[in-house]
Amino acid sequence: MAADGSWESRWRRPTGVPPAFTVVFAVLCLAAGAAGFKSQYLDPREVIAEGRPGTFVLTGCESVGGSRQGPSTRCSGEFRSDDGSLHLAGVHLPESHDAAGMGPGDSFRAHGTGRGRGSGHVVRSDARGTGNLTARAVGWTGLGLLGAMLTGFAVRGRMRPGAGRARLGVALGVGTPAAVVTWLAGLGVGTGFWA
């Protein structure tokens, strides 16, 4: 088989970690990255693009829940659009970093949308808010890239030794740490899971 150059000759039986496990984990990372990118970046960007400009006044922040990283922070306040047509009280910020270092009564520029299913949506839209959104996009992209790298490991695990397998190994060796650093750095600055 190896001498005839057939497709089967280029693949070998996997050793070590079962490729099925690697593929499942890769798909989960890809799915989580895509879902996080949409809900934590694209959806807030839509609020900025389509919502009404106004001012958000912070009421306060509280620690809720808990995990190995500690409780998460949830901040809420009141939003009023510049034209006075939209007023939201008790609305929660989707990004706790937006209120870091602020106290009750402090305010910032934001965009808001009306109440859909019982809740309005407010997103900080000044330079700090859009910076946090960008960091969030970078972090969730990093998780998606990690899924792509894991897919590459599954493919490499089934390839026969050769130049192509070696080149893929080098690419994965560089790409995997870069994806992890991108994921952790982006989410740590933006909506980090330890926040």
Side-chain angles (χ1 to χ4, degrees):
M1 283 292 233
D4 65 7
S6 65
W7 181 84
E8 292 85 357
S9 68
R10 298 183 190 137
W11 301 89
R12 62 184 175 83
R13 292 180 62 112
T15 57
V17 177
F21 173 79
T22 306
V23 170
V24 168
F25 193 64
V27 168
L28 290 175
C29 286
L30 284 167
F37 189 84
K38 182 189 182 307
S39 65
Q40 300 295 311
Y41 176 71
L42 293 180
D43 290 350
R45 287 297 305 175
E46 186 177 350
V47 172
I48 292 176
E50 299 179 4
R52 298 178 188 274
T55 302
F56 177 86
V57 179
L58 182 68
T59 302
C61 298
E62 62 180 343
S63 296
V64 295
S67 65
R68 291 181 183 178
Q69 292 80 26
S72 60
T73 302
R74 185 168 148 174
C75 299
S76 61
E78 182 175 322
F79 172 82
R80 189 178 299 275
S81 64
D82 292 337
D83 62 9
S85 63
L86 181 62
H87 178 240
L88 301 171
V91 66
H92 298 286
L93 290 175
E95 171 58 80
S96 63
H97 286 78
D98 284 345
M102 297 179 67
D106 291 340
S107 63
F108 52 74
R109 295 297 294 167
H111 278 67
T113 59
R115 295 185 179 275
R117 296 181 176 172
S119 65
H121 299 281
V122 174
V123 175
R124 185 169 183 164
S125 56
D126 60 5
R128 178 173 172 178
T130 56
N132 283 340
L133 270 180
T134 299
R136 193 181 314 181
V138 168
W140 288 111
T141 299
L143 181 59
L145 289 175
L146 178 60
M149 293 298 107
L150 292 173
T151 302
F153 278 111
V155 169
R156 185 177 181 273
R158 300 190 65 88
M159 294 174 69
R160 284 200 172 274
R165 187 172 191 267
R167 282 193 297 271
L168 182 57
V170 170
L172 294 173
V174 172
T176 302
V180 171
V181 168
T182 300
W183 173 37
L184 296 178
L187 295 186
V189 173
T191 186
F193 49 78
W194 53 81

